[in-house]
Amino acid sequence: MQVSVTSTVDTAHEDMIHDAQMDYYGRKLATCSSDRSVRIFEVNGNTQTHVATLRGHEGPVWQVSWAHPMFGGLLASCSYDRKVIIWKESNSGWVKLQEFLNHDSSVNSVCWAPEAYGLMLACGSSDGNVSIISSEGDGQWDVKKINNAHTIGCNAVSWAPAVHPGSLFDSVDDPKRGKVEKRLVTGGCDNLVKIWKKRETAEWEEEETLESHSDWVRDVAWAPNIGLATSKIASCSQDCHVIVWTKDETKSGQWEPVILHKFNDVVWHLSWSFAGNILAVSGGDNSVTLWRETVDGWICVSDINKGTGQEPAK
């Protein structure tokens, strides 16, 4: 597999860009920056057209996340200013739908849940807590908290897919198996990866603590499930390691860690392909590498060197 840069986007941000996310259909791009703004672009092939600049944060904006299109055009952003803002696309353009101030420190990560879970947003903060913001679509929002999820701070959140491992079609509403426990993975400044679960009538509880990193965990990503009987989570850290955790859901086994690679610098971000078979890794060496699992282990299938600068500490 050979991957090359086909186009670049002049975002016109006035400071470092921290995140860039395509929407579900790949037609919109959202970027966020230390210049305190979020910028929206319409994407048509190799052409990107700036359509909106969203201002409402009072500090660097760390991350953005698109909701599933079944909920309309919704985008969440989080910032050093402790705020989480939900933006909505309307007939008159993008507007601020809701603003939340649920944390005592920087909010470092936001992630919308799979659509089958409903309209639900997870937020991880440097205060060590994770908040779960949800709505039934009636304009009312509910906030739950996982207190003390990580000592020192939480850097990343990612939802488990809403599909039963081993099935292409069973989802959270499968009548044969009942309601699936919602799951969430987090990574923190305590060097830990944690898995949380919630039943319909219960509070969030810690299900697993995964220990292998020797420094802050900077990102976690739960792989999409396409019917395989295994679950996969990737984590990356300031210890320069990327670890892929695998669990056979047909057995009562443990999560098994495999070191994907030891990089030469801190690893900041991870992202799985739609099918969950390719993992993109970006880090402090200003490169993006793509990895695929084979019978002989994980191999690098592409290496793209592009850009300069480093992610600041949060």
Side-chain angles (χ1 to χ4, degrees):
M1 177 189 296
Q2 295 296 322
V3 178
S4 60
V5 177
T6 59
S7 64
T8 58
V9 182
D10 181 5
T11 65
H13 279 298
E14 299 174 356
D15 208 331
M16 184 178 295
I17 298 170
H18 298 292
D19 196 19
Q21 296 289 336
M22 303 291 293
D23 74 346
Y24 182 84
Y25 294 114
R27 298 172 184 167
K28 292 185 177 66
L29 171 70
T31 62
C32 61
S33 166
S34 282
D35 67 8
R36 306 181 179 187
S37 74
V38 174
R39 295 175 71 86
I40 309 291
F41 300 84
E42 296 283 355
V43 179
N44 184 8
N46 293 333
T47 303
Q48 304 86 24
T49 304
H50 173 251
V51 294
T53 298
L54 311 182
R55 302 189 185 278
H57 286 292
E58 300 167 23
V61 187
W62 301 129
Q63 200 169 69
V64 289
S65 179
W66 293 94
H68 190 275
M70 71 175 291
F71 300 111
L74 293 181
L75 179 74
S77 60
C78 64
S79 169
Y80 181 79
D81 64 6
R82 302 177 290 147
K83 293 179 184 177
V84 172
I85 297 178
I86 298 176
W87 311 88
K88 182 177 177 61
E89 187 178 21
S90 67
N91 293 333
S92 58
W94 284 88
V95 296
K96 184 190 294 186
L97 179 66
Q98 291 287 329
E99 180 176 300
F100 300 93
L101 192 59
N102 302 318
H103 291 279
D104 299 325
S105 191
S106 171
V107 183
N108 303 322
S109 182
V110 286
C111 184
W112 288 103
E115 70 277 12
Y117 288 167
L119 191 56
M120 188 174 294
L121 181 71
C123 317
S125 170
S126 290
D127 65 10
N129 303 324
V130 173
S131 59
I132 311 294
I133 302 170
S134 61
S135 175
E136 298 295 331
D138 55 0
Q140 302 299 312
W141 295 85
D142 179 65
V143 179
K144 303 290 186 185
K145 269 195 179 181
I146 304 174
N147 291 312
N148 301 314
H150 290 272
T151 56
I152 309 177
C154 178
N155 295 320
V157 293
S158 178
W159 290 90
V163 177
H164 291 280
S167 171
L168 286 172
F169 305 107
D170 294 350
S171 69
V172 291
D173 294 322
D174 176 27
K176 296 180 181 178
R177 305 194 190 192
K179 293 287 186 180
V180 173
E181 296 167 335
K182 297 178 178 68
R183 281 181 168 81
L184 180 72
V185 61
T186 60
C189 302
D190 50 11
N191 310 343
L192 299 176
V193 174
K194 292 187 177 183
I195 298 171
W196 308 85
K197 70 176 181 179
K198 182 184 184 301
R199 292 183 181 273
E200 292 301 313
T201 59
E203 297 299 319
W204 287 91
E205 60 184 55
E206 184 178 329
E207 182 179 48
E208 301 270 3
T209 297
L210 309 181
E211 302 181 56
S212 278
H213 287 294
S214 59
D215 208 332
W216 288 16
V217 178
R218 279 298 182 174
D219 201 9
V220 289
W222 204 309
N225 190 300
I226 54 171
L228 301 177
T230 57
S231 292
K232 281 188 172 65
I233 293 171
S235 60
C236 65
S237 167
Q238 287 186 199
D239 64 11
C240 307
H241 285 94
V242 171
I243 296 176
V244 177
W245 308 81
T246 305
K247 183 177 182 180
D248 187 342
E249 299 289 355
T250 64
K251 303 175 183 178
S252 58
Q254 301 297 313
W255 288 89
E256 299 294 338
V258 171
I259 296 177
L260 178 138
H261 188 67
K262 171 67 164 63
F263 292 82
N264 296 323
D265 206 335
V266 54
V267 186
W268 295 116
H269 294 298
L270 302 164
S271 181
W272 290 99
S273 65
F274 185 78
N277 59 337
I278 301 290
L279 180 67
V281 179
S282 62
D285 58 358
N286 306 316
S287 69
V288 177
T289 52
L290 303 182
W291 298 79
R292 177 168 56 86
E293 189 176 19
T294 70
V295 292
D296 298 319
W298 288 87
I299 62 170
C300 181
V301 295
S302 181
D303 190 343
I304 305 171
N305 291 285
K306 187 72 177 176
T308 58
Q310 295 184 352
E311 181 89 356
K314 298 172 183 175

